CSV table of all heavy atoms in Angstrom, one decimal:
chain,number,residue,atom,x,y,z
A,1,LEU,N,72.8,85.8,95.3
A,1,LEU,CA,74.2,86.1,95.7
A,1,LEU,C,74.7,85.1,96.7
A,1,LEU,O,75.8,84.7,96.7
A,1,LEU,CB,74.4,87.5,96.1
A,1,LEU,CG,75.8,87.9,96.3
A,1,LEU,CD1,76.6,87.7,95.1
A,1,LEU,CD2,75.9,89.4,96.8
A,2,VAL,N,73.9,84.7,97.7
A,2,VAL,CA,74.3,83.8,98.7
A,2,VAL,C,74.8,82.5,98.2
A,2,VAL,O,75.8,82.0,98.7
A,2,VAL,CB,73.1,83.6,99.8
A,2,VAL,CG1,73.5,82.6,100.8
A,2,VAL,CG2,72.8,85.0,100.4
A,3,PRO,N,74.2,81.8,97.3
A,3,PRO,CA,74.7,80.6,96.8
A,3,PRO,C,76.1,80.6,96.2
A,3,PRO,O,76.7,79.6,95.9
A,3,PRO,CB,73.7,80.0,95.8
A,3,PRO,CG,72.4,80.8,96.1
A,3,PRO,CD,72.9,82.1,96.6
A,4,LEU,N,76.5,81.8,95.9
A,4,LEU,CA,77.9,82.0,95.2
A,4,LEU,C,79.0,81.5,96.2
A,4,LEU,O,79.9,80.8,95.7
A,4,LEU,CB,78.1,83.4,94.9
A,4,LEU,CG,79.5,83.8,94.3
A,4,LEU,CD1,79.7,83.0,93.0
A,4,LEU,CD2,79.6,85.3,94.0
A,5,SER,N,78.8,81.8,97.4
A,5,SER,CA,79.9,81.4,98.4
A,5,SER,C,80.1,79.9,98.5
A,5,SER,O,81.2,79.4,98.3
A,5,SER,CB,79.5,82.0,99.8
A,5,SER,OG,80.6,81.7,100.7
A,6,PRO,N,79.0,79.1,98.7
A,6,PRO,CA,79.3,77.6,98.7
A,6,PRO,C,79.7,77.1,97.4
A,6,PRO,O,80.5,76.2,97.3
A,6,PRO,CB,77.9,77.0,99.1
A,6,PRO,CG,77.0,78.1,99.5
A,6,PRO,CD,77.7,79.4,99.1
A,7,ALA,N,79.2,77.7,96.3
A,7,ALA,CA,79.6,77.2,94.9
A,7,ALA,C,81.1,77.5,94.7
A,7,ALA,O,81.8,76.7,94.2
A,7,ALA,CB,78.8,77.9,93.9
A,8,TRP,N,81.6,78.7,95.2
A,8,TRP,CA,83.0,79.0,95.0
A,8,TRP,C,83.9,78.0,95.8
A,8,TRP,O,84.9,77.5,95.4
A,8,TRP,CB,83.2,80.4,95.5
A,8,TRP,CG,84.7,80.9,95.4
A,8,TRP,CD1,85.3,81.4,94.3
A,8,TRP,CD2,85.7,80.8,96.4
A,8,TRP,NE1,86.6,81.7,94.6
A,8,TRP,CE2,86.9,81.3,95.9
A,8,TRP,CE3,85.7,80.4,97.7
A,8,TRP,CZ2,88.0,81.4,96.6
A,8,TRP,CZ3,86.8,80.5,98.5
A,8,TRP,CH2,88.0,81.0,97.9
A,9,CYS,N,83.4,77.7,97.0
A,9,CYS,CA,84.1,76.7,97.9
A,9,CYS,C,84.2,75.3,97.2
A,9,CYS,O,85.2,74.7,97.1
A,9,CYS,CB,83.5,76.6,99.2
A,9,CYS,SG,83.6,78.0,100.3
A,10,LEU,N,83.0,74.9,96.6
A,10,LEU,CA,83.0,73.6,96.0
A,10,LEU,C,83.9,73.5,94.7
A,10,LEU,O,84.4,72.5,94.4
A,10,LEU,CB,81.6,73.2,95.6
A,10,LEU,CG,80.7,72.8,96.8
A,10,LEU,CD1,79.2,72.8,96.3
A,10,LEU,CD2,81.1,71.5,97.3
A,11,ARG,N,84.0,74.7,94.1
A,11,ARG,CA,84.8,74.8,92.8
A,11,ARG,C,86.3,74.6,93.1
A,11,ARG,O,87.1,74.2,92.2
A,11,ARG,CB,84.5,76.1,92.2
A,11,ARG,CG,85.2,76.3,90.8
A,11,ARG,CD,84.6,75.4,89.8
A,11,ARG,NE,85.0,75.8,88.5
A,11,ARG,CZ,86.2,75.6,87.9
A,11,ARG,NH1,87.2,75.0,88.6
A,11,ARG,NH2,86.5,75.9,86.7
A,12,ASN,N,86.7,74.9,94.3
A,12,ASN,CA,88.1,74.8,94.7
A,12,ASN,C,88.6,73.4,94.7
A,12,ASN,O,88.0,72.5,95.3
A,12,ASN,CB,88.3,75.5,96.1
A,12,ASN,CG,89.8,75.5,96.5
A,12,ASN,OD1,90.6,74.7,96.1
A,12,ASN,ND2,90.1,76.5,97.3
A,13,GLU,N,89.7,73.1,94.0
A,13,GLU,CA,90.1,71.7,93.9
A,13,GLU,C,90.5,71.1,95.2
A,13,GLU,O,90.6,69.9,95.4
A,13,GLU,CB,91.3,71.6,92.9
A,13,GLU,CG,92.5,72.2,93.3
A,13,GLU,CD,93.6,72.1,92.3
A,13,GLU,OE1,93.4,72.1,91.1
A,13,GLU,OE2,94.8,72.2,92.7
A,14,GLY,N,90.9,71.9,96.2
A,14,GLY,CA,91.3,71.4,97.5
A,14,GLY,C,90.1,71.1,98.4
A,14,GLY,O,90.3,70.7,99.6
A,15,VAL,N,88.9,71.4,98.0
A,15,VAL,CA,87.7,71.2,98.9
A,15,VAL,C,87.0,70.0,98.4
A,15,VAL,O,86.6,69.9,97.3
A,15,VAL,CB,86.8,72.5,98.8
A,15,VAL,CG1,85.6,72.3,99.6
A,15,VAL,CG2,87.6,73.7,99.3
A,16,SER,N,86.7,69.1,99.3
A,16,SER,CA,85.9,67.9,99.0
A,16,SER,C,84.5,68.0,99.5
A,16,SER,O,83.6,67.2,99.0
A,16,SER,CB,86.6,66.6,99.6
A,16,SER,OG,86.7,66.7,101.0
A,17,SER,N,84.3,68.9,100.5
A,17,SER,CA,82.9,69.0,100.9
A,17,SER,C,82.8,70.4,101.6
A,17,SER,O,83.8,71.0,102.0
A,17,SER,CB,82.5,68.0,102.0
A,17,SER,OG,83.4,68.0,103.1
A,18,VAL,N,81.5,70.9,101.7
A,18,VAL,CA,81.3,72.2,102.3
A,18,VAL,C,80.2,72.0,103.3
A,18,VAL,O,79.2,71.4,103.1
A,18,VAL,CB,80.8,73.2,101.2
A,18,VAL,CG1,80.3,74.5,101.8
A,18,VAL,CG2,81.8,73.5,100.2
A,19,LEU,N,80.5,72.5,104.5
A,19,LEU,CA,79.5,72.4,105.6
A,19,LEU,C,78.6,73.7,105.6
A,19,LEU,O,79.1,74.8,105.5
A,19,LEU,CB,80.2,72.3,107.0
A,19,LEU,CG,81.1,71.1,107.1
A,19,LEU,CD1,81.8,71.2,108.5
A,19,LEU,CD2,80.3,69.8,107.0
A,20,LEU,N,77.3,73.5,105.6
A,20,LEU,CA,76.4,74.6,105.6
A,20,LEU,C,75.8,74.7,107.0
A,20,LEU,O,75.3,73.7,107.5
A,20,LEU,CB,75.3,74.4,104.5
A,20,LEU,CG,75.7,74.2,103.1
A,20,LEU,CD1,74.5,73.8,102.2
A,20,LEU,CD2,76.4,75.5,102.6
A,21,GLY,N,75.8,75.9,107.5
A,21,GLY,CA,75.1,76.2,108.8
A,21,GLY,C,73.9,77.0,108.5
A,21,GLY,O,73.9,78.1,107.9
A,22,SER,N,72.7,76.4,108.8
A,22,SER,CA,71.5,77.1,108.5
A,22,SER,C,70.7,77.2,109.8
A,22,SER,O,70.6,76.3,110.6
A,22,SER,CB,70.6,76.3,107.5
A,22,SER,OG,71.4,76.2,106.3
A,23,SER,N,70.0,78.4,110.0
A,23,SER,CA,69.2,78.6,111.2
A,23,SER,C,67.7,78.3,110.9
A,23,SER,O,67.0,78.3,111.9
A,23,SER,CB,69.4,80.0,111.7
A,23,SER,OG,69.1,80.9,110.7
A,24,ASN,N,67.4,78.1,109.6
A,24,ASN,CA,66.0,77.8,109.3
A,24,ASN,C,66.0,77.0,108.0
A,24,ASN,O,66.9,77.1,107.2
A,24,ASN,CB,65.1,79.0,109.3
A,24,ASN,CG,65.6,80.1,108.4
A,24,ASN,OD1,65.8,79.8,107.2
A,24,ASN,ND2,65.9,81.3,108.9
A,25,PRO,N,64.9,76.4,107.7
A,25,PRO,CA,64.8,75.6,106.4
A,25,PRO,C,64.9,76.5,105.1
A,25,PRO,O,65.5,76.1,104.2
A,25,PRO,CB,63.4,75.0,106.4
A,25,PRO,CG,63.0,75.0,107.9
A,25,PRO,CD,63.7,76.2,108.5
A,26,GLU,N,64.5,77.7,105.2
A,26,GLU,CA,64.6,78.7,104.1
A,26,GLU,C,66.1,78.9,103.8
A,26,GLU,O,66.5,79.0,102.6
A,26,GLU,CB,63.8,80.0,104.3
A,26,GLU,CG,62.3,79.8,104.3
A,26,GLU,CD,61.8,79.3,105.7
A,26,GLU,OE1,62.5,79.3,106.7
A,26,GLU,OE2,60.7,78.7,105.7
A,27,GLN,N,66.8,79.1,104.8
A,27,GLN,CA,68.3,79.4,104.6
A,27,GLN,C,69.0,78.2,104.0
A,27,GLN,O,69.9,78.3,103.2
A,27,GLN,CB,68.9,79.8,105.9
A,27,GLN,CG,70.3,80.3,105.8
A,27,GLN,CD,70.9,80.8,107.1
A,27,GLN,OE1,70.6,80.2,108.2
A,27,GLN,NE2,71.8,81.8,107.1
A,28,LEU,N,68.6,77.0,104.5
A,28,LEU,CA,69.2,75.8,103.9
A,28,LEU,C,68.9,75.7,102.4
A,28,LEU,O,69.7,75.4,101.6
A,28,LEU,CB,68.7,74.6,104.6
A,28,LEU,CG,69.2,73.2,104.1
A,28,LEU,CD1,70.7,73.1,104.2
A,28,LEU,CD2,68.5,72.1,104.8
A,29,ILE,N,67.6,75.9,102.0
A,29,ILE,CA,67.2,75.9,100.6
A,29,ILE,C,68.0,76.9,99.8
A,29,ILE,O,68.4,76.6,98.7
A,29,ILE,CB,65.7,76.0,100.5
A,29,ILE,CG1,65.0,74.8,101.1
A,29,ILE,CG2,65.3,76.3,99.1
A,29,ILE,CD1,63.5,75.0,101.3
A,30,GLU,N,68.1,78.1,100.4
A,30,GLU,CA,68.9,79.1,99.7
A,30,GLU,C,70.3,78.7,99.5
A,30,GLU,O,70.9,78.9,98.4
A,30,GLU,CB,68.8,80.4,100.5
A,30,GLU,CG,69.4,81.6,99.8
A,30,GLU,CD,69.2,82.9,100.6
A,30,GLU,OE1,68.1,83.0,101.3
A,30,GLU,OE2,70.0,83.8,100.5
A,31,ASN,N,71.0,78.1,100.5
A,31,ASN,CA,72.4,77.7,100.4
A,31,ASN,C,72.5,76.5,99.4
A,31,ASN,O,73.5,76.4,98.7
A,31,ASN,CB,72.9,77.3,101.7
A,31,ASN,CG,73.3,78.4,102.6
A,31,ASN,OD1,73.7,79.5,102.1
A,31,ASN,ND2,73.1,78.3,103.9
A,32,LEU,N,71.5,75.7,99.3
A,32,LEU,CA,71.5,74.6,98.4
A,32,LEU,C,71.4,75.1,96.9
A,32,LEU,O,71.7,74.3,96.0
A,32,LEU,CB,70.4,73.5,98.7
A,32,LEU,CG,70.7,72.8,100.0
A,32,LEU,CD1,69.5,71.9,100.3
A,32,LEU,CD2,71.9,71.9,99.9
A,33,GLY,N,71.0,76.3,96.8
A,33,GLY,CA,71.0,76.9,95.4
A,33,GLY,C,72.4,76.9,94.8
A,33,GLY,O,72.5,77.1,93.6
A,34,ALA,N,73.4,76.7,95.6
A,34,ALA,CA,74.8,76.6,95.0
A,34,ALA,C,74.9,75.5,94.0
A,34,ALA,O,75.7,75.6,93.1
A,34,ALA,CB,75.8,76.3,96.2
A,35,ILE,N,74.1,74.5,94.1
A,35,ILE,CA,74.1,73.4,93.1
A,35,ILE,C,73.8,73.9,91.7
A,35,ILE,O,74.3,73.5,90.7
A,35,ILE,CB,73.1,72.3,93.5
A,35,ILE,CG1,73.6,71.7,94.8
A,35,ILE,CG2,72.9,71.3,92.4
A,35,ILE,CD1,72.6,70.8,95.5
A,36,GLN,N,72.9,74.9,91.6
A,36,GLN,CA,72.5,75.5,90.4
A,36,GLN,C,73.6,76.5,89.9
A,36,GLN,O,73.7,76.8,88.7
A,36,GLN,CB,71.2,76.2,90.4
A,36,GLN,CG,70.0,75.3,90.7
A,36,GLN,CD,68.7,76.0,90.9
A,36,GLN,OE1,68.7,77.1,91.3
A,36,GLN,NE2,67.6,75.3,90.6
A,37,VAL,N,74.3,77.1,90.8
A,37,VAL,CA,75.4,78.1,90.5
A,37,VAL,C,76.6,77.4,90.0
A,37,VAL,O,77.4,77.9,89.2
A,37,VAL,CB,75.6,79.0,91.7
A,37,VAL,CG1,76.8,80.0,91.4
A,37,VAL,CG2,74.4,79.8,92.0
A,38,LEU,N,76.9,76.2,90.6
A,38,LEU,CA,78.2,75.5,90.3
A,38,LEU,C,78.5,75.3,88.9
A,38,LEU,O,79.7,75.6,88.5
A,38,LEU,CB,78.2,74.2,91.1
A,38,LEU,CG,79.5,73.5,91.2
A,38,LEU,CD1,80.5,74.3,91.9
A,38,LEU,CD2,79.3,72.2,92.0
A,39,PRO,N,77.6,74.9,88.0
A,39,PRO,CA,77.9,74.8,86.6
A,39,PRO,C,78.3,76.1,85.9
A,39,PRO,O,79.0,76.0,84.9
A,39,PRO,CB,76.7,74.2,85.9
A,39,PRO,CG,75.8,73.7,87.1
A,39,PRO,CD,76.2,74.5,88.3
A,40,LYS,N,77.9,77.2,86.5
A,40,LYS,CA,78.3,78.5,85.9
A,40,LYS,C,79.6,79.0,86.3
A,40,LYS,O,80.1,80.0,85.9
A,40,LYS,CB,77.2,79.5,86.2
A,40,LYS,CG,75.8,79.1,85.7
A,40,LYS,CD,74.7,80.1,86.2
A,40,LYS,CE,73.4,79.6,85.8
A,40,LYS,NZ,72.3,80.4,86.3
A,41,MET,N,80.3,78.3,87.3
A,41,MET,CA,81.5,78.7,87.8
A,41,MET,C,82.7,78.3,86.9
A,41,MET,O,83.4,77.3,87.2
A,41,MET,CB,81.7,78.2,89.2
A,41,MET,CG,80.7,78.6,90.2
A,41,MET,SD,80.8,80.4,90.7
A,41,MET,CE,82.3,80.3,91.6
A,42,THR,N,82.8,78.9,85.8
A,42,THR,CA,83.9,78.6,84.8
A,42,THR,C,85.2,79.1,85.4
A,42,THR,O,85.3,79.9,86.3
A,42,THR,CB,83.6,79.3,83.5
A,42,THR,OG1,83.7,80.7,83.7
A,42,THR,CG2,82.3,78.9,82.9
A,43,SER,N,86.3,78.6,84.8
A,43,SER,CA,87.6,79.0,85.2
A,43,SER,C,87.7,80.6,85.1
A,43,SER,O,88.3,81.2,86.0
A,43,SER,CB,88.7,78.4,84.4
A,43,SER,OG,88.7,77.0,84.6
A,44,HIS,N,87.2,81.1,84.1
A,44,HIS,CA,87.2,82.6,83.9
A,44,HIS,C,86.5,83.3,85.0
A,44,HIS,O,87.0,84.3,85.6
A,44,HIS,CB,86.6,83.0,82.5
A,44,HIS,CG,86.5,84.4,82.3
A,44,HIS,ND1,87.7,85.2,82.0
A,44,HIS,CD2,85.5,85.3,82.3
A,44,HIS,CE1,87.3,86.5,81.9
A,44,HIS,NE2,86.0,86.5,82.1
A,45,ILE,N,85.3,82.9,85.4
A,45,ILE,CA,84.6,83.5,86.5
A,45,ILE,C,85.3,83.3,87.8
A,45,ILE,O,85.4,84.3,88.6
A,45,ILE,CB,83.1,82.9,86.6
A,45,ILE,CG1,82.3,83.1,85.3
A,45,ILE,CG2,82.4,83.3,87.8
A,45,ILE,CD1,82.0,84.6,85.0
A,46,VAL,N,85.8,82.1,88.1
A,46,VAL,CA,86.5,81.9,89.3
A,46,VAL,C,87.8,82.8,89.4
A,46,VAL,O,88.1,83.4,90.5
A,46,VAL,CB,86.9,80.4,89.5
A,46,VAL,CG1,87.8,80.2,90.7
A,46,VAL,CG2,85.6,79.6,89.6
A,47,ASN,N,88.5,82.9,88.3
A,47,ASN,CA,89.7,83.8,88.3
A,47,ASN,C,89.3,85.3,88.5
A,47,ASN,O,90.0,86.0,89.3
A,47,ASN,CB,90.4,83.7,87.0
A,47,ASN,CG,91.2,82.4,86.9
A,47,ASN,OD1,91.6,81.8,87.9
A,47,ASN,ND2,91.4,81.9,85.7
A,48,GLU,N,88.2,85.7,88.0
A,48,GLU,CA,87.7,87.1,88.2
A,48,GLU,C,87.4,87.3,89.7
A,48,GLU,O,87.8,88.3,90.3
A,48,GLU,CB,86.5,87.4,87.3
A,48,GLU,CG,86.9,87.7,85.9
A,48,GLU,CD,85.7,88.3,85.1
A,48,GLU,OE1,84.9,89.0,85.7
A,48,GLU,OE2,85.7,88.1,83.9
A,49,ILE,N,86.7,86.3,90.3
A,49,ILE,CA,86.3,86.4,91.7
A,49,ILE,C,87.6,86.4,92.5
A,49,ILE,O,87.8,87.3,93.4
A,49,ILE,CB,85.4,85.2,92.1
A,49,ILE,CG1,84.1,85.4,91.4
A,49,ILE,CG2,85.3,85.2,93.6
A,49,ILE,CD1,83.2,84.2,91.6
A,50,ASP,N,88.5,85.5,92.2
A,50,ASP,CA,89.8,85.5,93.0
A,50,ASP,C,90.6,86.8,92.9
A,50,ASP,O,91.2,87.3,93.8
A,50,ASP,CB,90.7,84.3,92.5
A,50,ASP,CG,90.1,83.0,92.9
A,50,ASP,OD1,89.3,82.9,93.8
A,50,ASP,OD2,90.5,82.0,92.3
A,51,ASN,N,90.6,87.4,91.7
A,51,ASN,CA,91.3,88.7,91.5
A,51,ASN,C,90.6,89.8,92.2
A,51,ASN,O,91.3,90.7,92.8
A,51,ASN,CB,91.4,89.0,90.0
A,51,ASN,CG,92.4,88.1,89.3
A,51,ASN,OD1,93.3,87.6,89.9
A,51,ASN,ND2,92.2,88.0,88.0
A,52,ILE,N,89.3,89.8,92.2
A,52,ILE,CA,88.6,90.9,93.0
A,52,ILE,C,88.8,90.8,94.5
A,52,ILE,O,89.1,91.8,95.1
A,52,ILE,CB,87.1,90.8,92.6
A,52,ILE,CG1,86.8,91.2,91.2
A,52,ILE,CG2,86.3,91.7,93.6
A,52,ILE,CD1,85.4,90.9,90.7
A,53,LEU,N,88.7,89.5,95.0
A,53,LEU,CA,88.9,89.3,96.4
A,53,LEU,C,90.3,89.4,96.9
A,53,LEU,O,90.6,89.7,98.0
A,53,LEU,CB,88.2,88.0,96.8
A,53,LEU,CG,86.7,87.9,96.6
A,53,LEU,CD1,86.2,86.5,97.0
A,53,LEU,CD2,86.0,88.9,97.4
A,54,GLY,N,91.2,89.0,96.0
A,54,GLY,CA,92.6,89.0,96.3
A,54,GLY,C,93.0,87.9,97.3
A,54,GLY,O,94.0,88.1,98.1
A,55,ASN,N,92.3,86.8,97.4
A,55,ASN,CA,92.6,85.8,98.4
A,55,ASN,C,92.5,84.4,97.7
A,55,ASN,O,91.9,83.5,98.3
A,55,ASN,CB,91.7,85.9,99.6
A,55,ASN,CG,90.2,85.7,99.3
A,55,ASN,OD1,89.8,85.7,98.1
A,55,ASN,ND2,89.4,85.6,100.3
A,56,LYS,N,93.1,84.2,96.6
A,56,LYS,CA,93.0,83.0,95.9
A,56,LYS,C,93.6,81.9,96.7
A,56,LYS,O,94.7,82.0,97.3
A,56,LYS,CB,93.7,83.1,94.6
A,56,LYS,CG,93.7,81.8,93.8
A,56,LYS,CD,94.4,81.9,92.4
A,56,LYS,CE,94.4,80.6,91.7
A,56,LYS,NZ,95.0,80.7,90.4
A,57,PRO,N,92.9,80.8,96.9
A,57,PRO,CA,93.4,79.6,97.7
A,57,PRO,C,94.6,79.0,97.0
A,57,PRO,O,94.7,79.0,95.8
A,57,PRO,CB,92.2,78.7,97.8
A,57,PRO,CG,91.1,79.3,97.1
A,57,PRO,CD,91.5,80.5,96.4
A,58,TYR,N,95.5,78.4,97.8
A,58,TYR,CA,96.6,77.7,97.2
A,58,TYR,C,96.0,76.4,96.6
A,58,TYR,O,95.1,75.8,97.0
A,58,TYR,CB,97.6,77.3,98.3
A,58,TYR,CG,98.3,78.4,98.9
A,58,TYR,CD1,98.0,78.9,100.2
A,58,TYR,CD2,99.3,79.0,98.2
A,58,TYR,CE1,98.7,80.0,100.8
A,58,TYR,CE2,100.0,80.1,98.8
A,58,TYR,CZ,99.7,80.6,100.0
A,58,TYR,OH,100.3,81.6,100.6
A,59,SER,N,96.7,76.0,95.5
A,59,SER,CA,96.3,74.7,94.9
A,59,SER,C,97.1,73.6,95.6
A,59,SER,O,98.0,73.8,96.4
A,59,SER,CB,96.7,74.7,93.4
A,59,SER,OG,98.1,74.6,93.3
A,60,LYS,N,96.7,72.3,95.4
A,60,LYS,CA,97.3,71.2,96.0
A,60,LYS,C,98.8,71.2,95.7
A,60,LYS,O,99.7,70.8,96.5
A,60,LYS,CB,96.7,69.9,95.5
A,60,LYS,CG,95.3,69.7,96.1
A,60,LYS,CD,94.7,68.4,95.5
A,60,LYS,CE,93.3,68.2,96.0
A,60,LYS,NZ,92.7,66.9,95.5
A,61,LYS,N,99.2,71.6,94.4
A,61,LYS,CA,100.5,71.6,94.0
A,61,LYS,C,101.4,72.6,94.8
A,61,LYS,O,102.5,72.3,95.1
A,61,LYS,CB,100.6,72.0,92.5
A,61,LYS,CG,100.0,71.0,91.6
A,61,LYS,CD,100.0,71.5,90.2
A,61,LYS,CE,98.6,71.5,89.7
A,61,LYS,NZ,98.3,72.2,88.5
A,62,ASP,N,100.8,73.7,95.2
A,62,ASP,CA,101.5,74.7,96.0
A,62,ASP,C,101.9,74.2,97.4
A,62,ASP,O,102.9,74.6,98.0
A,62,ASP,CB,100.7,76.0,96.2
A,62,ASP,CG,100.4,76.7,94.9
A,62,ASP,OD1,101.3,76.6,94.0
A,62,ASP,OD2,99.5,77.4,94.7
A,63,TYR,N,101.0,73.3,98.0
A,63,TYR,CA,101.3,72.8,99.3
A,63,TYR,C,102.4,71.8,99.3
A,63,TYR,O,103.1,71.6,100.3
A,63,TYR,CB,100.0,72.1,99.9
A,63,TYR,CG,99.0,73.0,100.3
A,63,TYR,CD1,97.7,73.0,99.8
A,63,TYR,CD2,99.2,74.0,101.3
A,63,TYR,CE1,96.7,73.9,100.2
A,63,TYR,CE2,98.3,74.9,101.7
A,63,TYR,CZ,97.0,74.8,101.2
A,63,TYR,OH,96.0,75.7,101.6
A,64,ARG,N,102.7,71.2,98.2
A,64,ARG,CA,103.7,70.2,98.1
A,64,ARG,C,105.1,70.8,97.9
A,64,ARG,O,106.1,70.1,98.2
A,64,ARG,CB,103.5,69.2,96.9
A,64,ARG,CG,102.2,68.4,97.1
A,64,ARG,CD,102.0,67.5,95.9
A,64,ARG,NE,100.7,66.8,96.1
A,64,ARG,CZ,100.0,66.5,95.1
A,64,ARG,NH1,100.4,66.6,93.9
A,64,ARG,NH2,98.8,65.9,95.3
A,65,SER,N,105.2,72.0,97.5
A,65,SER,CA,106.6,72.6,97.3
A,65,SER,C,107.2,73.2,98.6
A,65,SER,O,106.7,73.2,99.6
A,65,SER,CB,106.5,73.6,96.2
A,65,SER,OG,105.4,74.5,96.4
């Protein structure tokens, strides 16, 4: 479940990089698991997560208006 958070951040079109804070090598390896989760983050899955959390990020287009 932990790699879901960095994968969700990377999936956002407004995010170019994600900073990971790790207190030990095991935590870093766990966070890097987001690389395996990222291909599974389809638009449908991301929309479901956004609907559940109720905090969908603005798109680049929204910032321009």
Side-chain angles (χ1 to χ4, degrees):
L1 185 59
V2 174
L4 178 61
S5 185
W8 181 85
C9 291
L10 286 168
R11 182 68 167 78
N12 184 331
E13 68 181 29
V15 173
S16 60
S17 62
V18 175
L19 300 176
L20 300 173
S22 301
S23 57
N24 57 55
E26 292 80 18
Q27 189 178 31
L28 177 61
I29 291 168
E30 189 173 326
N31 283 327
L32 291 175
I35 295 168
Q36 294 175 335
V37 174
L38 194 56
K40 300 175 185 175
M41 299 289 290
T42 64
S43 297
H44 176 73
I45 297 293
V46 172
N47 285 335
E48 283 191 30
I49 292 170
D50 290 340
N51 288 334
I52 290 168
L53 296 177
N55 62 349
K56 181 178 179 179
Y58 292 106
S59 72
K60 289 180 184 179
K61 295 175 234 165
D62 294 335
Y63 286 121
R64 293 183 188 147
S65 46

